[in-house]
Structures are given as C-alpha cells and as structure tokens.
Amino acid sequence: MSQDAPDKLTIALWAVNLTRPLNGLGAWAAAVEAQMVRAKAEGAELLVLPEYMSEQWLSFAPEGIGPAEEIPWMAAQAEAALQAIAPLPAKHGVALLAGTLPVKLEPAPETGSPYVNRAHLLLPDGRVVRQDKLCLTPGEKDPKAWNLRPGERLQVVTWKGLKLATLICLDIELPALSALLAPERLDLILVPSMTAKLSGYSRVFGCAKARAVELQAAVAAVGVIGAASTNKPRETNTSGCSVFLPCEESLGFVGLHDEIPPADAAEDEGPLLVARDIPFGEIHRLRAGAAEVWPGAWSAAHVVLDR
C-alpha cells in the first residue's frame, strides 16, 4: 500500500440473479451499466461481479444447445461482450471486475481444452488485468459438459495505491496460494464465485475470511444466485456478498465489514451490496506492526516435519 492510497474506499458487489432472461448482449451490458451507475451514486469506486455471470447469456443461446456446447458458445460471445462494457469504467469513473467468462486461448494448446475461465478487471485508466482460474472444480473438467483448462499465472496489480489480486472461487480455498501471496502485502483480494450448494458457499466464503486473517487484507467475495433460464432443468446456485477484514479490535473484532447472506433465489436483478469505507489505512497500520497477532510472511522452511 503506497502513501497515496486512500484511507478508506467504498466498493460494490453484485450477486447476479441468473434466472432473469436476457434478449442479447446489449441487454446484458445495459444491466451492468445500470448497476455501475447505482454503485457510483452510493459512493463506490469499484464494482465486483461474480464468476460465470455469463451463464445468464444462455437465456438467448440457440435452441437445443447441449452441455458440452455451452462453454464454446459463451466463449464465442466473449469478445463482443467485453467490447460492450469496456468504455464503462472511464465513462463512470468506476473500476469493474466483470465477473468471469470462458475465453478460448489463441493459439489453442495442442492437448486438453482450449478454454479458460477468465476474470477481467477493467480500470478507468484503460488497463485490463486478466486472471485465469488456477484450480478447477470437477464440473469444469468434464469432457461431456463444461470442459476447461487451469490458468498458470497469478496477477498482482496496483490501483489507487492499493495492491490487489483476484482469486476465482476455488482458488481462495488453497492455502498454497495464500502462502505465495503473503510476501506481496496485498490490500484487497477479489473473489468472484459460483457455488451450487450452501456447502460450497460456506467453503468459499469461510476460506475468504481465513485469507483476510492470514494476509491482513480486505477480501471481497460475491457469487451468482439461481440458474439461467434455458427451458430445461439446471442446477441452481446459492450465494451472497461479503467483505471480510482481519479480526482486530479496531476493525470490529469479528472480521466482517459487511454482507448480504446467501440465498438460492432472488428478485429482480439480484442484490447489490455497497460496502462503505473499507478501512485500508487502518489495515495498513495494523499490518505494519500494530496487529494483536500476525505472523506476516512467516515461512515454514526452518520447520522439520516428524513422521
């Protein structure tokens, strides 16, 4: 965190209701802009969307599209979708984590799936930071359905003097990634997610809270709700929105800054959480030596494991 970083920052998280049908990418982009306008009106400088919010596009996909065709079809819409929302951060002065969507790698790899699950962080200064999901669920490795390949790089970016990274859903559950990030002294981790059951939500959001403690950082998690309207049965999704902080007295003791509890159904477009005045200045002060107990970038290299 640099000296010109804000002492406090307000961000918004949108738990998209996938059940609301769309009639095309124009309607989707208009919905994103509407939420950005709403977020800015409430003081937010960053809007975070969930993992696979692109599933909502399946409501206008060709009739009869099969499970194995959904990822390629969504990936084919990705470039046009990103072009449609690319001007919005500069227009409104609000950064946008545009959830995640499938992207086809160019050139395609010789073996395995050519598709990755990619998040795009669009900044008002024109930068686009891309982050591929690093650890895939079984449902993302099914040759008969959503078949993708894992990413290989973890991006750290500085924005408004804050250091941040994006860990997509299952990635936030991996202590190895937390250990890798510890020396970076991150200020904010963004966690777009998709979880079918309350158990999955609990794993992702529970581990997000753990990462806030381990890394002495703010962690913002958000997921999709419901399932795309495709006129055929689909697994629904359960999620909400939360911003976690280190468990410190000056931050309210319990490690929770703000939340909308999980749900498997929503009205209208889905809930928007505006997490006001996240205290990055105080987090930085605590991380610099004022925390009750924090090992920082402690390494286990000197520890001997007895068996």
Side-chain angles (χ1 to χ4, degrees):
M1 181 169 173
S2 68
Q3 292 183 347
D4 60 347
D7 185 59
K8 296 182 179 181
L9 187 78
T10 295
I11 70 173
L13 301 97
W14 177 23
V16 176
N17 178 13
L18 295 179
T19 61
R20 286 178 63 83
L22 301 169
N23 60 13
L25 288 178
W28 172 75
V32 172
E33 182 167 21
Q35 292 295 334
M36 183 176 285
V37 169
R38 180 181 169 192
K40 182 178 182 180
E42 298 199 40
E45 296 182 63
L46 168 64
L47 173 61
V48 185
L49 310 186
E51 182 183 26
Y52 288 125
M53 71 165 296
S54 57
E55 184 185 310
Q56 194 178 22
W57 303 347
L58 296 176
S59 61
F60 59 85
E63 282 289 331
I65 188 171
E69 300 170 293
E70 290 180 353
I71 289 294
W73 183 83
M74 285 189 282
Q77 319 308 310
E79 184 176 353
L82 290 168
Q83 288 179 351
I85 61 173
L88 299 182
K91 177 180 178 181
H92 298 288
V94 177
L96 174 65
L97 183 74
T100 79
L101 47 84
V103 171
K104 187 175 183 180
L105 299 177
E106 298 294 349
E110 294 182 3
T111 60
S113 172
Y115 300 100
V116 293
N117 178 14
R118 179 170 292 175
H120 294 80
L121 177 62
L122 311 178
L123 300 176
D125 61 14
R127 284 182 291 163
V128 179
V129 183
R130 300 167 181 85
Q131 179 62 58
D132 297 340
K133 190 173 185 178
L134 302 171
C135 185
L136 302 179
T137 66
E140 293 173 300
K141 297 185 289 184
D142 183 354
K144 297 181 180 179
W146 283 22
N147 188 25
L148 299 105
R149 69 188 298 121
E152 299 176 348
R153 303 181 69 85
L154 181 54
Q155 307 285 336
V156 174
V157 62
T158 299
W159 168 69
K160 296 184 72 68
L162 302 172
K163 292 183 71 174
L164 64 90
T166 300
L167 295 181
I168 301 168
C169 200
L170 181 55
D171 291 347
I172 196 66
E173 300 180 33
L174 304 179
L177 288 180
S178 182
L180 181 66
L181 286 169
E184 296 296 324
R185 297 294 198 269
L186 294 181
D187 302 298
L188 175 62
I189 300 175
L190 307 178
V191 187
S193 68
M194 169 185 268
T195 50
K197 301 174 184 178
L198 184 60
S199 53
Y201 162 87
S202 299
R203 286 192 299 271
V204 169
F205 280 61
C207 290
K209 185 174 183 179
R211 300 295 91 86
V213 171
E214 292 170 356
L215 300 175
Q216 203 78 5
V219 182
V222 59
V224 290
I225 296 174
S229 299
T230 60
N231 297 318
K232 57 185 179 182
R234 296 186 71 84
E235 187 174 51
T236 193
N237 293 282
T238 299
S239 200
C241 318
S242 294
V243 174
F244 300 105
L245 303 177
C247 297
E248 298 285 342
E249 181 177 356
S250 62
L251 299 177
F253 294 98
V254 298
L256 180 65
H257 181 73
D258 210 343
E259 73 170 339
I260 292 176
D264 61 6
E267 297 180 358
D268 301 323
E269 65 277 357
L272 181 75
L273 173 66
V274 179
R276 292 181 172 83
D277 296 331
I278 300 172
F280 288 106
E282 178 62 9
I283 290 173
H284 187 251
R285 187 186 74 84
L286 291 165
R287 198 167 60 213
E292 291 178 28
V293 177
W294 183 56
W298 176 84
S299 171
H302 66 286
V303 177
V304 177
L305 178 62
D306 287 332
R307 291 184 175 87

